[in-house]
Amino acid sequence: MRRSDLLALVGVFLMSCEGVSFAMGPLFRQLYLPRINAWEFPIAIAGWALASCGPILVAALFWRLAGRFSAGWLLHVLLLPCFYALLLAGNWLMLSAVDVPDFDVTMGAPILPAFFCILVITVVYFSALAVKRVSNREPD
């Protein structure tokens, strides 16, 4: 297992722990639980997983695939639009399960950890890319 894969696995584990702690917390019980039907709950969980864990898996996949292709830079460029699409799709799924017009009513609680996760992944990913490029450069 590569270090990048191990880092992605740790990230998914940490985001899953955060999701479980949120679901057990008072904010979820007061704001969301009364508004979610039993058949809508898996949709909300899928939206949360897509927005929170999806970027971690996409970053690990793009990192691995970029090393195999000659145009790997294209995957690095497409990373941020993919993150944005995952955030929007997860947001849409979560909002479809909860009877609120937007997350302003709920203070953005479910989508904020996903947004923070995307920020952390972006910093780590592009920092690792910069370190890799500098270390591969031959001295003059």
Side-chain angles (χ1 to χ4, degrees):
M1 180 177 278
R2 295 181 180 179
R3 281 185 289 185
S4 60
D5 296 339
L6 183 62
L7 187 60
L9 186 63
V10 168
V12 168
F13 175 75
L14 290 175
M15 284 307 293
S16 299
C17 289
E18 190 278 328
V20 168
S21 70
F22 176 74
M24 298 295 179
L27 187 63
F28 179 79
R29 289 182 186 159
Q30 292 172 357
L31 293 176
Y32 303 107
L33 196 56
R35 298 177 184 214
I36 297 178
N37 296 334
W39 61 273
E40 291 173 331
F41 192 71
I43 295 171
I45 295 297
W48 180 86
L50 186 66
S52 298
C53 296
I56 299 169
L57 300 175
V58 166
L61 179 69
F62 278 21
W63 185 267
R64 185 172 282 234
L65 290 177
R68 294 183 182 172
F69 297 116
S70 59
W73 60 270
L74 183 61
L75 291 173
H76 300 310
V77 170
L78 290 175
L79 186 70
L80 291 178
C82 286
F83 284 173
Y84 185 66
L86 287 169
L87 188 68
L88 288 180
N91 185 24
W92 180 79
L93 281 172
M94 285 187 282
L95 280 177
S96 70
V98 180
D99 188 27
V100 293
D102 58 17
F103 280 128
D104 289 342
V105 175
T106 61
M107 301 171 285
I111 207 68
L112 285 178
F115 184 72
F116 177 70
C117 181
I118 287 173
L119 288 177
V120 169
I121 293 168
T122 301
V123 168
V124 169
Y125 187 93
F126 287 110
S127 297
L129 184 63
V131 167
K132 184 178 177 184
R133 294 291 178 213
V134 168
S135 66
N136 287 343
R137 213 158 92 188
E138 294 180 14
D140 291 334

